[in-house]
C-alpha cells in the first residue's frame, strides 16, 4: 500500500492548478443515466472515485470513454469523458460497490426515471458518521416512487413515472437535493424543492441538466423549481473547480508560510473559509486568474469556526483548518455541526504533538509552538489531508499511511505540493 513521506519545514511558493471538483464530477457522471444520448464532461479530475464510479455506471449500461491527452496538455489538465447510457441494462446497484462509494446511491433517481425500477443497496455507516438516506427516500416518495426495504436494499418503482410535487427538506442535504433535481427533471408536472442545498456543486448539476434540456430554476438558492420535460438529451459540460482542494492548499500555505496562486479557483465558492484564513493571519486576494494566499512573518492567530451548509464553513475543510489551528498562538474552538463523528483526525494530530480536547461536537485546540513528525494514518480523505498539512509544518519526517484515502479526492497531491517547494514523496508498495 502506498505511503506519503513528508519532511516538514519548507515554505510553499509558486502556483497550483485547481482540478475539477470531485463532488461535482460524481453527480454529473450519474446524470448521464438520464439520457440515451452522450454526455461529455470536461475538466474531470483523475481520481480513484471517478474511476470507481465509471465502473459502477458501466454495470448499469453506461459506455464510458476518455479522451487521450492532447498535445500541449500537462499532467494537471482535466480529462474529457464521454458517457452514453443508450440502454439501462441493470437496475441493481450492489452492496459491494455502494458501500465503497456512498455517492453511487444517487443512481437511484435516474434509474427510476429511465427504467421505472431500481434496487440499490443501502450504503451503511461510514467513517464520519451514520449518514442516513431517509431524506433522499422521502424526496423520491414525494414524487411518486413506491419504496420498500428488503435485505439491505432499497427496492423502488415508479410504474407511472415520477410525478411533480412539493419537497420540503427538514435539513439541508446535498445528496437529497441532487436526487430531487434528477427525479424531477423528467417528472410529469412541476416540482418545488424547499430548503434545498445551495452548494456550488448543486448549481453545477442544475446547469448541466439544463444543458441536457431540463427546466430548473433557482439552483444555488434555498428554493428550486423544476418543470418536468418529456426527455433529456446529450450535452457538453465542464466540471467546476474544486473548492475543497482550493481550501486545502490555501490552508497549507497559511500553515507553512509562503505565497501561492491557486489557479482557476473561485473565491466565492469558499469565502467563509478564506475569511477564516485571513483572520488567522494569511493575506488572501482573488482575481480572474484564481485565489492567491500568502503568509509572511507573523504567526498564526487562533480563530473559532463552526461548520455549516453552504455558504457557511464547509465540513470538508474542518479537519484541514484544525491542523492549522494546532500551531496558532492561543486557543481556538472548532464546532462540527454536519457530521457527528468527523473528529477522527484528532488522535492522529495528537501523534504529531497537537493539543486538542473534544467536548461533544466541539474540538478545543490549544496551539503549540512545535509539531514533530511521526507515522500517522487516517480514516477519510479530508482527515488524511489534514495530517499532510500538519506534517508540512512539523519538525522532521512524517509518514502518512493509507494513501488510498487521499487518492480518492486529491489529484496529484504530491506533485502539486512538491512543485511549490514542499518535500513530499510517494513511497510505492
Ligand atoms: C455531500 O455528502 C458530500 N459528498 C460530502 O463530501 C460533504 O461532506 C457533504 O455533502 C456536506 O457538504 C459528495 O458530494 C459526494 P448531505 P452528502 O446529504 O450529500 C444528513 C467529502 O469528503 N442527512 O448534505 O452525503 C447527513 O447525515 C464528502 O468529499 C440525513 O439526515 O451529505 C448530514 O448530517 C464527505 N438524511 C447532513 O444531512 C439524509 O437522507 C448533510 O448531509 C441525508 C442526509
Amino acid at each position: 500500500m502506498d505511503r506519503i513521506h513528508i519532511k516538514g519545514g519548507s515554505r510553499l511558493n509558486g502556483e497550483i492548478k485547481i482540478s475539477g471538483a470531485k463532488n461535482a464530477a460524481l453527480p454529473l457522471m450519474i446524470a448521464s443515466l438520464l439520457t440515451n444520448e452522450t454526455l461529455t464532461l470536461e475538466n474531470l479530475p483523475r481520481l480513484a472515485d471517478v474511476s470507481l464510479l465509471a465502473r459502477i455506471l458501466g454495470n448499469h449500461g453506461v459506455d464510458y470513454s476518455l479522451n487521450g491527452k492532447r498535445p500541449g496538455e500537462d499532467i494537471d489538465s482535466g480529462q474529457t469523458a464521454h458517457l452514453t447510457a443508450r440502454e439501462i441494462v441493470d437496475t441493481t446497484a450492489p452492496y459491494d460497490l455502494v458501500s465503497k462509494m456512498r455517492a453511487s446511491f444517487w443512481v437511484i433517481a435516474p434509474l427510476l426515471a429511465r427504467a421505472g425500477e431500481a434496487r440499490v443497496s443501502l450504503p451503511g455507516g461510514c467513517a464520519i458518521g451514520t449518514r442516513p438516506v431517509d431524506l433522499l427516500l422521502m424526496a423520491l416518495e414525494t414524487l411518486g416512487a413506491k419504496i420498500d426495504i428488503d435485505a439491505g436494499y432499497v427496492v423502488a418503482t415508479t410504474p407511472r413515472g415520477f410525478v411533480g410535487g412539493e419537497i420540503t427538506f427538514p435539513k439541508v442535504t446535498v445528496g437529497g437535493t441532487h436526487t430531487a433535481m434528477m427525479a424531477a427533471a423528467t417528472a410529469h408536472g412541476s416540482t418545488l424543492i424547499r430548503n434545498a442545498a445551495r452548494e456550488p456543486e448543486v448549481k453545477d448539476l442544475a446547469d448541466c441538466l439544463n444543458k441536457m434540456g431540463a427546466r430548473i430554476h433557482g439552483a444555488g438558492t434555498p428554493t428550486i423549481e423544476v418543470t418536468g420535460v418529456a426527455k433529456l438529451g446529450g450535452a457538453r459540460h465542464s466540471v467546476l473547480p474544486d473548492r475543497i482542494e482550493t481550501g486545502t492548499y490555501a490552508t497549507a500555505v497559511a500553515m507553512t508560510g509562503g505565497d501561492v496562486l491557486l489557479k482557476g479557483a473561485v473565491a466565492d465558492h469558499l469565502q467563509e473559509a478564506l475569511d477564516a484564513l485571513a483572520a488567522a493571519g494569511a493575506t488572501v486576494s482573488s482575481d480572474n486568474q484564481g485565489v492567491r494566499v500568502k503568509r509572511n512573518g507573523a504567526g498564526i492567530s487562533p480563530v473559532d469556526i463552526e461548520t455549516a451548509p453552504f455558504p457557511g464553513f464547509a465540513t470538508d475543510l474542518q479537519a484541514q483548518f484544525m491542523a492549522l489551528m494546532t500551531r496558532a498562538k492561543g486557543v481556538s474552538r472548532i464546532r462540527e455541526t454536519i457530521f457527528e463523528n468527523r473528529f477522527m483526525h484528532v488522535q492522529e494530530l495528537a501523534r504529531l504533538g497537537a493539543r486538542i480536547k473534544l467536548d461533544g461536537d466541539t474540538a478545543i485546540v490549544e496551539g503549540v509552538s512545535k509539531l514533530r513528525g511521526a507515522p500517522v494514518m487516517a480514516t477519510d480523505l479530508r482527515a488524511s489531508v489534514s495530517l499532510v498539512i500538519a506534517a508540512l509544518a512539523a519538525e522532521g519526517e512524517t509518514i502518512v499511511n493509507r494513501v488510498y484515502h487521499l487518492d480518492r479526492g486529491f489529484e496529484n497531491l504530491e506533485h502539486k505540493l512538491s512543485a511549490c517547494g514542499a518535500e513530499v514523496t510517494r513511497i510505492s508498495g
Side-chain angles (χ1 to χ4, degrees), residues 22-23 26 103 106 128 131-136 171-176 199 315-316 338-339 342 380-382:
K22 169 180 84 79
N23 287 350
L26 301 180
W106 301 342
I128 60 176
R131 302 186 75 185
V133 291
D134 55 322
L135 301 178
L136 282 68
K171 185 175 193 179
V172 174
T173 154
V174 173
E199 270 65 3
T315 171
D316 291 349
I338 308 290
F339 294 112
R342 211 170 197 182
D380 87 339
L381 75 159
R382 312 305 178 189

PDB file of all heavy atoms in Angstrom, residues 22-23 26 103 106 128 131-136 171-176 199 315-316 338-339 342 380-382, ligand 1:
ATOM      1  N   LYS A  22     -14.343  16.934  -7.301  1.00  0.00           N
ATOM      2  CA  LYS A  22     -14.846  15.552  -7.131  1.00  0.00           C
ATOM      3  C   LYS A  22     -16.352  15.558  -6.874  1.00  0.00           C
ATOM      4  O   LYS A  22     -17.088  14.788  -7.488  1.00  0.00           O
ATOM      5  CB  LYS A  22     -14.128  14.897  -5.941  1.00  0.00           C
ATOM      6  CG  LYS A  22     -14.776  13.571  -5.525  1.00  0.00           C
ATOM      7  CD  LYS A  22     -14.080  12.931  -4.351  1.00  0.00           C
ATOM      8  CE  LYS A  22     -14.502  13.412  -2.996  1.00  0.00           C
ATOM      9  NZ  LYS A  22     -15.754  12.863  -2.460  1.00  0.00           N
ATOM     10  N   ASN A  23     -16.798  16.411  -5.966  1.00  0.00           N
ATOM     11  CA  ASN A  23     -18.194  16.335  -5.538  1.00  0.00           C
ATOM     12  C   ASN A  23     -19.175  16.944  -6.543  1.00  0.00           C
ATOM     13  O   ASN A  23     -20.392  16.884  -6.345  1.00  0.00           O
ATOM     14  CB  ASN A  23     -18.362  16.964  -4.157  1.00  0.00           C
ATOM     15  CG  ASN A  23     -17.770  16.061  -3.083  1.00  0.00           C
ATOM     16  OD1 ASN A  23     -17.422  14.912  -3.360  1.00  0.00           O
ATOM     17  ND2 ASN A  23     -17.630  16.580  -1.874  1.00  0.00           N
ATOM     18  N   LEU A  26     -19.007  13.614  -9.551  1.00  0.00           N
ATOM     19  CA  LEU A  26     -19.750  12.380  -9.285  1.00  0.00           C
ATOM     20  C   LEU A  26     -21.234  12.507  -9.674  1.00  0.00           C
ATOM     21  O   LEU A  26     -21.738  11.697 -10.457  1.00  0.00           O
ATOM     22  CB  LEU A  26     -19.575  11.930  -7.831  1.00  0.00           C
ATOM     23  CG  LEU A  26     -18.107  11.673  -7.402  1.00  0.00           C
ATOM     24  CD1 LEU A  26     -18.046  11.227  -5.943  1.00  0.00           C
ATOM     25  CD2 LEU A  26     -17.426  10.632  -8.287  1.00  0.00           C
ATOM     26  N   ALA A 103     -21.760   7.997  -2.731  1.00  0.00           N
ATOM     27  CA  ALA A 103     -22.439   8.815  -3.742  1.00  0.00           C
ATOM     28  C   ALA A 103     -23.079   7.949  -4.817  1.00  0.00           C
ATOM     29  O   ALA A 103     -24.018   8.391  -5.495  1.00  0.00           O
ATOM     30  CB  ALA A 103     -21.449   9.802  -4.367  1.00  0.00           C
ATOM     31  N   TRP A 106     -26.810   7.596  -5.353  1.00  0.00           N
ATOM     32  CA  TRP A 106     -27.592   8.587  -6.104  1.00  0.00           C
ATOM     33  C   TRP A 106     -28.040   8.088  -7.472  1.00  0.00           C
ATOM     34  O   TRP A 106     -28.845   8.750  -8.131  1.00  0.00           O
ATOM     35  CB  TRP A 106     -26.795   9.894  -6.265  1.00  0.00           C
ATOM     36  CG  TRP A 106     -26.413  10.516  -4.960  1.00  0.00           C
ATOM     37  CD1 TRP A 106     -26.959  10.269  -3.729  1.00  0.00           C
ATOM     38  CD2 TRP A 106     -25.377  11.482  -4.735  1.00  0.00           C
ATOM     39  NE1 TRP A 106     -26.332  11.028  -2.764  1.00  0.00           N
ATOM     40  CE2 TRP A 106     -25.359  11.785  -3.349  1.00  0.00           C
ATOM     41  CE3 TRP A 106     -24.472  12.144  -5.564  1.00  0.00           C
ATOM     42  CZ2 TRP A 106     -24.468  12.695  -2.780  1.00  0.00           C
ATOM     43  CZ3 TRP A 106     -23.579  13.061  -5.011  1.00  0.00           C
ATOM     44  CH2 TRP A 106     -23.584  13.325  -3.633  1.00  0.00           C
ATOM     45  N   ILE A 128     -17.295   8.963   8.936  1.00  0.00           N
ATOM     46  CA  ILE A 128     -17.555  10.287   9.506  1.00  0.00           C
ATOM     47  C   ILE A 128     -18.927  10.383  10.171  1.00  0.00           C
ATOM     48  O   ILE A 128     -19.309  11.429  10.651  1.00  0.00           O
ATOM     49  CB  ILE A 128     -17.388  11.410   8.454  1.00  0.00           C
ATOM     50  CG1 ILE A 128     -18.353  11.220   7.285  1.00  0.00           C
ATOM     51  CG2 ILE A 128     -15.947  11.472   7.967  1.00  0.00           C
ATOM     52  CD1 ILE A 128     -18.283  12.361   6.274  1.00  0.00           C
ATOM     53  N   ARG A 131     -24.816   8.864   8.532  1.00  0.00           N
ATOM     54  CA  ARG A 131     -25.178   9.260   7.174  1.00  0.00           C
ATOM     55  C   ARG A 131     -26.387   8.503   6.600  1.00  0.00           C
ATOM     56  O   ARG A 131     -26.254   7.742   5.645  1.00  0.00           O
ATOM     57  CB  ARG A 131     -23.970   9.143   6.244  1.00  0.00           C
ATOM     58  CG  ARG A 131     -22.817   9.985   6.731  1.00  0.00           C
ATOM     59  CD  ARG A 131     -21.674  10.015   5.768  1.00  0.00           C
ATOM     60  NE  ARG A 131     -21.919  10.848   4.605  1.00  0.00           N
ATOM     61  CZ  ARG A 131     -21.079  10.950   3.586  1.00  0.00           C
ATOM     62  NH1 ARG A 131     -19.979  10.253   3.584  1.00  0.00           N
ATOM     63  NH2 ARG A 131     -21.347  11.733   2.575  1.00  0.00           N
ATOM     64  N   PRO A 132     -27.563   8.749   7.160  1.00  0.00           N
ATOM     65  CA  PRO A 132     -28.767   8.086   6.649  1.00  0.00           C
ATOM     66  C   PRO A 132     -29.168   8.594   5.254  1.00  0.00           C
ATOM     67  O   PRO A 132     -28.648   9.614   4.790  1.00  0.00           O
ATOM     68  CB  PRO A 132     -29.832   8.459   7.670  1.00  0.00           C
ATOM     69  CG  PRO A 132     -29.335   9.696   8.329  1.00  0.00           C
ATOM     70  CD  PRO A 132     -27.834   9.666   8.268  1.00  0.00           C
ATOM     71  N   VAL A 133     -30.108   7.879   4.611  1.00  0.00           N
ATOM     72  CA  VAL A 133     -30.618   8.316   3.299  1.00  0.00           C
ATOM     73  C   VAL A 133     -32.130   8.558   3.362  1.00  0.00           C
ATOM     74  O   VAL A 133     -32.801   8.628   2.340  1.00  0.00           O
ATOM     75  CB  VAL A 133     -30.282   7.298   2.172  1.00  0.00           C
ATOM     76  CG1 VAL A 133     -28.797   7.279   1.875  1.00  0.00           C
ATOM     77  CG2 VAL A 133     -30.788   5.898   2.511  1.00  0.00           C
ATOM     78  N   ASP A 134     -32.666   8.705   4.592  1.00  0.00           N
ATOM     79  CA  ASP A 134     -34.120   8.863   4.740  1.00  0.00           C
ATOM     80  C   ASP A 134     -34.673  10.044   3.934  1.00  0.00           C
ATOM     81  O   ASP A 134     -35.756   9.961   3.362  1.00  0.00           O
ATOM     82  CB  ASP A 134     -34.482   9.005   6.237  1.00  0.00           C
ATOM     83  CG  ASP A 134     -33.734  10.136   6.923  1.00  0.00           C
ATOM     84  OD1 ASP A 134     -32.537  10.343   6.599  1.00  0.00           O
ATOM     85  OD2 ASP A 134     -34.321  10.824   7.769  1.00  0.00           O
ATOM     86  N   LEU A 135     -33.904  11.127   3.870  1.00  0.00           N
ATOM     87  CA  LEU A 135     -34.426  12.320   3.186  1.00  0.00           C
ATOM     88  C   LEU A 135     -34.417  12.140   1.669  1.00  0.00           C
ATOM     89  O   LEU A 135     -35.276  12.686   0.959  1.00  0.00           O
ATOM     90  CB  LEU A 135     -33.618  13.560   3.589  1.00  0.00           C
ATOM     91  CG  LEU A 135     -33.622  13.857   5.101  1.00  0.00           C
ATOM     92  CD1 LEU A 135     -32.761  15.070   5.429  1.00  0.00           C
ATOM     93  CD2 LEU A 135     -35.061  14.083   5.587  1.00  0.00           C
ATOM     94  N   LEU A 136     -33.467  11.350   1.177  1.00  0.00           N
ATOM     95  CA  LEU A 136     -33.453  11.054  -0.260  1.00  0.00           C
ATOM     96  C   LEU A 136     -34.685  10.225  -0.610  1.00  0.00           C
ATOM     97  O   LEU A 136     -35.359  10.475  -1.612  1.00  0.00           O
ATOM     98  CB  LEU A 136     -32.177  10.287  -0.645  1.00  0.00           C
ATOM     99  CG  LEU A 136     -30.892  11.111  -0.790  1.00  0.00           C
ATOM    100  CD1 LEU A 136     -30.412  11.664   0.536  1.00  0.00           C
ATOM    101  CD2 LEU A 136     -29.791  10.311  -1.446  1.00  0.00           C
ATOM    102  N   LYS A 171     -33.858  19.325   6.740  1.00  0.00           N
ATOM    103  CA  LYS A 171     -32.434  19.567   6.993  1.00  0.00           C
ATOM    104  C   LYS A 171     -31.791  19.727   5.621  1.00  0.00           C
ATOM    105  O   LYS A 171     -32.218  19.059   4.672  1.00  0.00           O
ATOM    106  CB  LYS A 171     -31.917  18.295   7.662  1.00  0.00           C
ATOM    107  CG  LYS A 171     -30.521  18.293   8.129  1.00  0.00           C
ATOM    108  CD  LYS A 171     -30.268  16.980   8.857  1.00  0.00           C
ATOM    109  CE  LYS A 171     -28.972  17.076   9.617  1.00  0.00           C
ATOM    110  NZ  LYS A 171     -28.688  15.856  10.349  1.00  0.00           N
ATOM    111  N   VAL A 172     -30.799  20.593   5.521  1.00  0.00           N
ATOM    112  CA  VAL A 172     -30.159  20.796   4.209  1.00  0.00           C
ATOM    113  C   VAL A 172     -29.349  19.558   3.844  1.00  0.00           C
ATOM    114  O   VAL A 172     -28.512  19.107   4.620  1.00  0.00           O
ATOM    115  CB  VAL A 172     -29.232  22.031   4.243  1.00  0.00           C
ATOM    116  CG1 VAL A 172     -28.452  22.148   2.938  1.00  0.00           C
ATOM    117  CG2 VAL A 172     -30.038  23.290   4.504  1.00  0.00           C
ATOM    118  N   THR A 173     -29.621  18.984   2.670  1.00  0.00           N
ATOM    119  CA  THR A 173     -28.868  17.816   2.228  1.00  0.00           C
ATOM    120  C   THR A 173     -28.461  17.961   0.765  1.00  0.00           C
ATOM    121  O   THR A 173     -29.309  18.203  -0.105  1.00  0.00           O
ATOM    122  CB  THR A 173     -29.638  16.490   2.466  1.00  0.00           C
ATOM    123  OG1 THR A 173     -29.196  15.492   1.521  1.00  0.00           O
ATOM    124  CG2 THR A 173     -31.145  16.624   2.345  1.00  0.00           C
ATOM    125  N   VAL A 174     -27.164  17.811   0.535  1.00  0.00           N
ATOM    126  CA  VAL A 174     -26.624  17.936  -0.822  1.00  0.00           C
ATOM    127  C   VAL A 174     -27.139  16.763  -1.668  1.00  0.00           C
ATOM    128  O   VAL A 174     -27.731  16.944  -2.735  1.00  0.00           O
ATOM    129  CB  VAL A 174     -25.076  17.955  -0.790  1.00  0.00           C
ATOM    130  CG1 VAL A 174     -24.494  17.907  -2.201  1.00  0.00           C
ATOM    131  CG2 VAL A 174     -24.575  19.184  -0.042  1.00  0.00           C
ATOM    132  N   GLY A 175     -26.944  15.542  -1.160  1.00  0.00           N
ATOM    133  CA  GLY A 175     -27.375  14.359  -1.911  1.00  0.00           C
ATOM    134  C   GLY A 175     -28.886  14.344  -2.118  1.00  0.00           C
ATOM    135  O   GLY A 175     -29.373  13.917  -3.171  1.00  0.00           O
ATOM    136  N   GLY A 176     -29.625  14.821  -1.120  1.00  0.00           N
ATOM    137  CA  GLY A 176     -31.082  14.891  -1.245  1.00  0.00           C
ATOM    138  C   GLY A 176     -31.480  15.859  -2.347  1.00  0.00           C
ATOM    139  O   GLY A 176     -32.400  15.601  -3.138  1.00  0.00           O
ATOM    140  N   GLU A 199     -25.042  24.504  -2.262  1.00  0.00           N
ATOM    141  CA  GLU A 199     -23.645  24.263  -2.613  1.00  0.00           C
ATOM    142  C   GLU A 199     -23.391  24.516  -4.109  1.00  0.00           C
ATOM    143  O   GLU A 199     -24.263  24.219  -4.938  1.00  0.00           O
ATOM    144  CB  GLU A 199     -23.287  22.802  -2.281  1.00  0.00           C
ATOM    145  CG  GLU A 199     -22.750  22.547  -0.877  1.00  0.00           C
ATOM    146  CD  GLU A 199     -23.736  22.805   0.261  1.00  0.00           C
ATOM    147  OE1 GLU A 199     -24.905  23.132  -0.016  1.00  0.00           O
ATOM    148  OE2 GLU A 199     -23.341  22.691   1.427  1.00  0.00           O
ATOM    149  N   THR A 315     -17.850  21.573   6.014  1.00  0.00           N
ATOM    150  CA  THR A 315     -17.375  20.467   6.861  1.00  0.00           C
ATOM    151  C   THR A 315     -16.162  19.772   6.222  1.00  0.00           C
ATOM    152  O   THR A 315     -15.291  19.272   6.928  1.00  0.00           O
ATOM    153  CB  THR A 315     -18.506  19.446   7.128  1.00  0.00           C
ATOM    154  OG1 THR A 315     -17.959  18.305   7.772  1.00  0.00           O
ATOM    155  CG2 THR A 315     -19.187  18.978   5.854  1.00  0.00           C
ATOM    156  N   ASP A 316     -16.110  19.793   4.889  1.00  0.00           N
ATOM    157  CA  ASP A 316     -14.993  19.131   4.197  1.00  0.00           C
ATOM    158  C   ASP A 316     -13.676  19.890   4.356  1.00  0.00           C
ATOM    159  O   ASP A 316     -12.635  19.436   3.865  1.00  0.00           O
ATOM    160  CB  ASP A 316     -15.315  18.966   2.705  1.00  0.00           C
ATOM    161  CG  ASP A 316     -16.435  17.956   2.464  1.00  0.00           C
ATOM    162  OD1 ASP A 316     -16.812  17.245   3.411  1.00  0.00           O
ATOM    163  OD2 ASP A 316     -16.933  17.896   1.322  1.00  0.00           O
ATOM    164  N   ILE A 338     -22.292  19.203  11.004  1.00  0.00           N
ATOM    165  CA  ILE A 338     -22.893  18.425   9.908  1.00  0.00           C
ATOM    166  C   ILE A 338     -22.812  16.918  10.179  1.00  0.00           C
ATOM    167  O   ILE A 338     -23.801  16.211  10.064  1.00  0.00           O
ATOM    168  CB  ILE A 338     -22.211  18.748   8.555  1.00  0.00           C
ATOM    169  CG1 ILE A 338     -22.184  20.259   8.293  1.00  0.00           C
ATOM    170  CG2 ILE A 338     -22.898  17.993   7.404  1.00  0.00           C
ATOM    171  CD1 ILE A 338     -23.503  20.903   7.997  1.00  0.00           C
ATOM    172  N   PHE A 339     -21.627  16.440  10.517  1.00  0.00           N
ATOM    173  CA  PHE A 339     -21.455  15.005  10.760  1.00  0.00           C
ATOM    174  C   PHE A 339     -21.019  14.779  12.202  1.00  0.00           C
ATOM    175  O   PHE A 339     -20.139  15.478  12.708  1.00  0.00           O
ATOM    176  CB  PHE A 339     -20.424  14.406   9.787  1.00  0.00           C
ATOM    177  CG  PHE A 339     -20.883  14.444   8.357  1.00  0.00           C
ATOM    178  CD1 PHE A 339     -20.264  15.268   7.435  1.00  0.00           C
ATOM    179  CD2 PHE A 339     -21.951  13.663   7.943  1.00  0.00           C
ATOM    180  CE1 PHE A 339     -20.696  15.315   6.119  1.00  0.00           C
ATOM    181  CE2 PHE A 339     -22.398  13.703   6.621  1.00  0.00           C
ATOM    182  CZ  PHE A 339     -21.761  14.528   5.709  1.00  0.00           C
ATOM    183  N   ARG A 342     -16.983  13.423  12.886  1.00  0.00           N
ATOM    184  CA  ARG A 342     -15.930  13.859  11.987  1.00  0.00           C
ATOM    185  C   ARG A 342     -14.743  14.447  12.749  1.00  0.00           C
ATOM    186  O   ARG A 342     -14.241  15.526  12.418  1.00  0.00           O
ATOM    187  CB  ARG A 342     -16.472  14.851  10.979  1.00  0.00           C
ATOM    188  CG  ARG A 342     -15.709  14.740   9.685  1.00  0.00           C
ATOM    189  CD  ARG A 342     -16.291  15.495   8.553  1.00  0.00           C
ATOM    190  NE  ARG A 342     -15.712  14.969   7.311  1.00  0.00           N
ATOM    191  CZ  ARG A 342     -15.973  15.435   6.126  1.00  0.00           C
ATOM    192  NH1 ARG A 342     -16.811  16.416   5.977  1.00  0.00           N
ATOM    193  NH2 ARG A 342     -15.396  14.909   5.060  1.00  0.00           N
ATOM    194  N   ASP A 380     -10.548   8.988   6.573  1.00  0.00           N
ATOM    195  CA  ASP A 380     -11.224   9.518   5.380  1.00  0.00           C
ATOM    196  C   ASP A 380     -10.317  10.531   4.697  1.00  0.00           C
ATOM    197  O   ASP A 380      -9.259  10.881   5.214  1.00  0.00           O
ATOM    198  CB  ASP A 380     -12.625  10.068   5.697  1.00  0.00           C
ATOM    199  CG  ASP A 380     -12.626  11.524   6.143  1.00  0.00           C
ATOM    200  OD1 ASP A 380     -11.577  12.019   6.590  1.00  0.00           O
ATOM    201  OD2 ASP A 380     -13.669  12.178   6.048  1.00  0.00           O
ATOM    202  N   LEU A 381     -10.732  10.973   3.501  1.00  0.00           N
ATOM    203  CA  LEU A 381      -9.775  11.743   2.713  1.00  0.00           C
ATOM    204  C   LEU A 381      -9.468  13.124   3.291  1.00  0.00           C
ATOM    205  O   LEU A 381      -8.335  13.581   3.229  1.00  0.00           O
ATOM    206  CB  LEU A 381     -10.219  11.827   1.254  1.00  0.00           C
ATOM    207  CG  LEU A 381     -11.358  12.740   0.874  1.00  0.00           C
ATOM    208  CD1 LEU A 381     -11.295  13.059  -0.596  1.00  0.00           C
ATOM    209  CD2 LEU A 381     -12.666  12.043   1.158  1.00  0.00           C
ATOM    210  N   ARG A 382     -10.474  13.782   3.880  1.00  0.00           N
ATOM    211  CA  ARG A 382     -10.186  15.130   4.410  1.00  0.00           C
ATOM    212  C   ARG A 382      -9.339  15.014   5.682  1.00  0.00           C
ATOM    213  O   ARG A 382      -8.483  15.856   5.943  1.00  0.00           O
ATOM    214  CB  ARG A 382     -11.493  15.871   4.698  1.00  0.00           C
ATOM    215  CG  ARG A 382     -12.518  15.829   3.572  1.00  0.00           C
ATOM    216  CD  ARG A 382     -12.011  16.326   2.238  1.00  0.00           C
ATOM    217  NE  ARG A 382     -13.045  16.209   1.200  1.00  0.00           N
ATOM    218  CZ  ARG A 382     -12.834  16.399  -0.083  1.00  0.00           C
ATOM    219  NH1 ARG A 382     -11.634  16.703  -0.553  1.00  0.00           N
ATOM    220  NH2 ARG A 382     -13.803  16.288  -0.965  1.00  0.00           N
TER     221      ARG A 382
HETATM  222  C1  LIG B   1     -22.008  15.599   0.347  1.00  0.00           C
HETATM  223  O1  LIG B   1     -22.378  14.405   1.039  1.00  0.00           O
HETATM  224  C2  LIG B   1     -20.531  15.448   0.032  1.00  0.00           C
HETATM  225  N1  LIG B   1     -20.320  14.272  -0.802  1.00  0.00           N
HETATM  226  C3  LIG B   1     -19.722  15.349   1.327  1.00  0.00           C
HETATM  227  O2  LIG B   1     -18.341  15.311   0.980  1.00  0.00           O
HETATM  228  C4  LIG B   1     -19.988  16.601   2.164  1.00  0.00           C
HETATM  229  O3  LIG B   1     -19.294  16.480   3.388  1.00  0.00           O
HETATM  230  C5  LIG B   1     -21.487  16.745   2.409  1.00  0.00           C
HETATM  231  O4  LIG B   1     -22.205  16.763   1.148  1.00  0.00           O
HETATM  232  C6  LIG B   1     -21.852  18.007   3.170  1.00  0.00           C
HETATM  233  O5  LIG B   1     -21.390  19.123   2.465  1.00  0.00           O
HETATM  234  C7  LIG B   1     -20.438  14.347  -2.118  1.00  0.00           C
HETATM  235  O6  LIG B   1     -20.811  15.370  -2.672  1.00  0.00           O
HETATM  236  C8  LIG B   1     -20.092  13.140  -2.909  1.00  0.00           C
HETATM  237  P1  LIG B   1     -25.584  15.647   2.971  1.00  0.00           P
HETATM  238  P2  LIG B   1     -23.908  14.088   1.281  1.00  0.00           P
HETATM  239  O7  LIG B   1     -26.715  14.832   2.466  1.00  0.00           O
HETATM  240  O8  LIG B   1     -24.701  14.588   0.141  1.00  0.00           O
HETATM  241  C9  LIG B   1     -27.831  14.327   6.981  1.00  0.00           C
HETATM  242  C10 LIG B   1     -16.118  14.505   1.072  1.00  0.00           C
HETATM  243  O9  LIG B   1     -15.233  14.449   1.959  1.00  0.00           O
HETATM  244  N2  LIG B   1     -28.732  13.529   6.148  1.00  0.00           N
HETATM  245  O10 LIG B   1     -25.535  17.084   2.607  1.00  0.00           O
HETATM  246  O11 LIG B   1     -23.987  12.638   1.610  1.00  0.00           O
HETATM  247  C11 LIG B   1     -26.403  13.793   6.982  1.00  0.00           C
HETATM  248  O12 LIG B   1     -26.246  12.708   7.871  1.00  0.00           O
HETATM  249  C12 LIG B   1     -17.559  14.159   1.377  1.00  0.00           C
HETATM  250  O13 LIG B   1     -15.883  14.791  -0.110  1.00  0.00           O
HETATM  251  C13 LIG B   1     -29.823  12.904   6.738  1.00  0.00           C
HETATM  252  O14 LIG B   1     -30.053  13.001   7.943  1.00  0.00           O
HETATM  253  O15 LIG B   1     -24.201  14.932   2.582  1.00  0.00           O
HETATM  254  C14 LIG B   1     -25.624  15.022   7.382  1.00  0.00           C
HETATM  255  O16 LIG B   1     -25.709  15.192   8.776  1.00  0.00           O
HETATM  256  C15 LIG B   1     -17.765  13.610   2.727  1.00  0.00           C
HETATM  257  N3  LIG B   1     -30.656  12.160   5.934  1.00  0.00           N
HETATM  258  C16 LIG B   1     -26.392  16.150   6.699  1.00  0.00           C
HETATM  259  O17 LIG B   1     -27.706  15.625   6.437  1.00  0.00           O
HETATM  260  C17 LIG B   1     -30.443  12.029   4.597  1.00  0.00           C
HETATM  261  O18 LIG B   1     -31.235  11.347   3.934  1.00  0.00           O
HETATM  262  C18 LIG B   1     -25.821  16.646   5.397  1.00  0.00           C
HETATM  263  O19 LIG B   1     -25.537  15.531   4.554  1.00  0.00           O
HETATM  264  C19 LIG B   1     -29.344  12.686   4.008  1.00  0.00           C
HETATM  265  C20 LIG B   1     -28.509  13.434   4.814  1.00  0.00           C
END
